[in-house]
Amino acid sequence: MTSPPAGPAGPPGGPVEQARAVIEYCYERGWTDGLPVVPATRPAVESFLEMTERAPDEIIGSAPHLGRSITVAQAAANAVMAGCQPEYFPVVLAAWEAVNLERSARGAWQSTSGPSPLIVVNGPVRGRLGINYQGGVFGPGFRANATIARAVGLIVRNGYGIRPHELEQATQGLPGRWSVCLGENEEMSPWEPFSVVGGVAPGVDAVSAILIRTCEYVDNRGTDSPEAVLTDFADTLARLGAYLGGGHSSGGLVLGPEHAQLFGRSGYSRADVQQWLFEHAVRDRADLVAAGKGGSGGEDSPSDPAQAGTPFPMMPSARDIPVLVAGAPNAAISMVFRPFGWAPWSGRSVPVAWPPAVAAMSERSESNGG
Amino acid sequence: MPEETAVYDSIIDPTLGVATDSPAGPTALAERPRTLSGLRLGLLANIKRNAEEFLDEVGRLLAEQQGVAAVVARKKPDITSTAPEPILDDLRRGCDVVVVGVGDCGSCSASAVADGIILEQGGIPAVVVCTDAFTASADAMAGLRGAPGYRYLTVPHPMANLTPDGVRDRAAAAVPGIARMLTRGAVAAAS
């Protein structure tokens, strides 16, 4: 038995050993987020570029303060490295665009807060690419979810050169940084898709993104009262630790299907849930003062003497409490997430742009019930 | 081994985009005056808490102790970006030396160093003040701007939670270093 040919220019060993050597090379170059990457080759990048009509040298992101710009081809190389399949690439591009709609995104990657995008996918693309929107939606275990989110992180790292302990100064970061991409469970949501809130027509593949600092679960399986569950959410939303000073805190909800359906059955629209939470996610001003968060004493601050005794609203507005639905209907559990900084969600979802051939193919498969 | 290199050369470097707006090459520092006496001092603050208070006190002390003749104070609106061109232009036209600060977060430490280097490129001696928690991001920006090893002044972290007295003490402790770095002989070329 002969060993496989090493090829004209291969590192020593058979193909598997060679693959390992190439992965090690990528580590040595500082190109990875700590996990192995798939080496980006020209044919691989070209197969990704075939999935978009955008020009390879189109600039899709700039950090003028760093003197760096990111091109479509560079995004493709990083998506290859993240482990994406070529057909994920239009979703990566839409996710990147959605992330960049966030007003806070530009300086965020260097911030001590260390935020990460919560990427939300709507539309039939979830089924076509196997984007999980059911059990275990925060991951891991699903290639599309894991690698689309990771691609965004590698674009920031390799495209902008923002690496931890250098330009990236996260104090602690957060669990799941660059790994949260979830489908909305539209099928079990009582409301219109989240992307429709973001301005995209129903049924259209779309991506939304919100920079977040963490997620915290709310486990409430003991009641059929929507107000009781809302009370539980409001308590977590109003947590003192999430308040930065300077006006208000921020928060949103990824509702598990059981909680979402309880609201639906009880006649609550998404806007009703948001309004209820805005009105009830309040704190006594004295609580904030006791925690050293009383602020300047000015009109917007908890310690304003003219407003002593009135409740302090912790959320910026009803509309700025994003609410979506994901997960399995097997327990009444939901997740509160914490948008980064003070800027509310951009409120805009980005349609996924498919090249015409792929769009035609997927329409056929959907009309066949595929 | 040349054969191995050939294989690795077929891997696309994900850090290479387009060099449309890459900063200019290595920066030589502006020529330092012998003394601050009679000079116009610029203060470039960011919007971080206590930055302006710190710089104002530095200005007051440099006037009192070193004979600085006039102080021009400017504040930039964005912690991530370098100062807008009109502000930089004001400082270049209206000042002989500038103090930049305070870099006490991930973004603003890096952008403060970038402001300092831009001023040096315009011929204005500048001292950037960062807290000692952010030397890594300050150094990374210096490297990115073609000035690896660029020297800035560190003060103890944190700055934002200091009382007015604490800020004044921090400024008083920093002033001798600031004066040294703005005058002749103390700072070699950056790279």
Side-chain angles (χ1 to χ4, degrees):
Chain A
M1 194 172 129
T2 55
S3 58
V16 177
E17 273 306 306
Q18 290 175 359
R20 250 171 48 85
V22 172
I23 288 168
E24 286 302 322
Y25 174 81
C26 293
Y27 274 113
E28 283 160 21
R29 296 298 302 267
W31 292 343
T32 99
D33 50 16
L35 293 172
V37 288
V38 177
T41 58
R42 189 160 301 285
V45 168
E46 277 165 9
S47 69
F48 277 53
L49 292 173
E50 279 168 17
M51 298 300 298
T52 177
E53 293 195 286
R54 301 175 80 163
D57 59 357
E58 183 188 340
I59 290 173
I60 54 169
S62 287
H65 64 297
L66 304 177
R68 299 288 286 258
S69 298
I70 290 165
T71 63
V72 170
Q74 197 177 12
N78 282 285
V80 171
M81 292 172 65
C84 290
Q85 301 253 21
E87 58 269 31
Y88 303 174
F89 189 48
V91 181
V92 171
L93 287 175
W96 177 252
E97 190 175 334
V99 164
N100 283 289
L101 289 175
E102 286 286 271
R103 271 188 289 162
S104 53
R106 206 161 46 82
W109 315 132
Q110 293 164 255
S111 169
T112 48
S113 311
S116 179
L118 164 64
I119 297 167
V120 181
V121 181
N122 282 98
V125 66
R126 293 166 304 140
R128 289 205 306 279
L129 300 187
I131 294 172
N132 184 27
Y133 55 91
Q134 297 170 303
V137 75
F138 279 88
F142 297 86
R143 180 175 180 175
N145 301 61
T147 61
I148 290 167
R150 188 186 187 201
V152 172
L154 287 178
I155 293 170
V156 169
R157 179 188 176 93
N158 292 323
Y160 287 149
I162 298 174
R163 294 181 291 267
H165 292 194
E166 297 173 25
L167 286 170
E168 196 261 76
Q169 287 289 309
T171 304
Q172 294 184 310
L174 72 154
R177 196 172 196 201
W178 310 124
S179 68
V180 178
C181 167
L182 47 84
E184 185 172 36
N185 194 336
E186 297 174 16
E187 291 71 9
M188 305 205 86
S189 168
W191 308 310
E192 61 188 10
F194 188 62
S195 52
V196 174
V197 178
V200 177
V204 173
D205 296 330
V207 183
S208 318
I210 305 170
L211 296 193
I212 61 168
R213 290 187 61 173
T214 199
C215 293
E216 329 167 41
Y217 70 87
V218 176
D219 190 316
N220 188 321
R221 320 184 198 197
T223 177
D224 281 331
S225 156
E227 291 78 19
V229 174
L230 286 166
T231 299
D232 213 355
F233 292 156
D235 174 67
T236 296
L237 284 170
R239 187 171 66 82
L240 292 176
Y243 179 71
L244 303 180
H248 54 75
S249 180
S250 64
L253 285 168
V254 178
L255 294 177
E258 287 197 16
H259 285 151
Q261 293 191 350
L262 170 62
F263 296 135
R265 276 199 307 279
S266 312
Y268 275 84
S269 67
R270 178 185 264 125
D272 293 337
V273 167
Q274 291 171 308
Q275 186 63 34
W276 200 101
L277 291 171
F278 174 62
E279 287 168 11
H280 292 80
V282 298
R283 294 294 296 229
D284 284 348
R285 290 165 182 272
D287 292 348
L288 286 141
V289 173
K293 292 182 165 179
S296 63
E299 203 179 318
D300 288 341
S301 72
S303 60
D304 175 19
Q307 298 181 79
T310 64
F312 184 80
M314 298 295 274
M315 295 291 107
S317 72
R319 183 193 167 279
D320 290 320
I321 307 172
V323 176
L324 57 130
V325 181
N330 57 5
I333 299 172
S334 292
M335 199 71 96
V336 165
F337 60 83
R338 292 290 179 186
F340 166 67
W342 294 272
W345 177 47
S346 71
R348 287 163 60 196
S349 304
V350 176
V352 181
W354 298 102
V358 177
M361 222 155 52
S362 52
E363 268 165 36
R364 269 201 304 280
S365 82
E366 272 142 34
S367 61
N368 295 338
Chain B
M1 203 188 294
E3 288 179 353
E4 281 189 42
T5 310
V7 163
Y8 296 140
D9 281 351
S10 72
I11 303 172
I12 291 176
D13 183 339
T15 67
L16 297 180
V18 281
T20 47
D21 46 5
S22 292
T27 307
L29 295 191
E31 193 182 338
R32 264 49 190 164
R34 213 163 38 79
T35 163
L36 297 177
S37 178
L39 299 188
R40 299 164 302 168
L41 171 72
L43 303 173
L44 176 54
N46 59 26
I47 54 174
K48 298 297 286 192
R49 193 161 173 211
N50 283 337
E52 270 185 302
E53 290 81 352
F54 172 87
L55 290 180
D56 286 347
E57 181 67 3
V58 165
R60 196 185 68 75
L61 292 172
L62 285 176
E64 190 180 285
Q65 299 170 5
Q66 307 274 339
V68 159
V71 175
V72 177
R74 291 286 180 272
K75 182 170 171 177
K76 66 175 189 174
D78 175 352
I79 57 169
T80 305
S81 306
T82 51
E85 193 49 40
I87 291 183
L88 290 169
D89 208 43
D90 273 359
L91 294 170
R92 284 190 206 103
R93 287 165 191 270
C95 307
D96 303 299
V97 294
V98 175
V99 183
V100 180
V102 176
D104 76 339
C105 71
S107 301
C108 60
S109 53
S111 74
V113 165
D115 287 326
I117 291 171
I118 289 170
L119 288 165
E120 298 280 357
Q121 285 166 342
I124 306 293
V127 169
V128 176
V129 181
C130 291
T131 69
D132 54 18
F134 292 101
T135 56
S137 52
D139 290 344
M141 177 57 90
L144 204 58
R145 291 263 163 188
Y150 178 77
R151 286 185 54 197
Y152 47 88
L153 188 80
T154 56
V155 296
H157 187 80
M159 178 72 78
N161 66 351
L162 294 180
T163 61
D165 280 347
V167 173
R168 279 191 288 274
D169 290 349
R170 209 50 66 84
V175 155
I178 290 171
R180 267 200 309 279
M181 290 178 75
L182 284 177
T183 49
R184 191 168 297 172
V187 189
S191 56

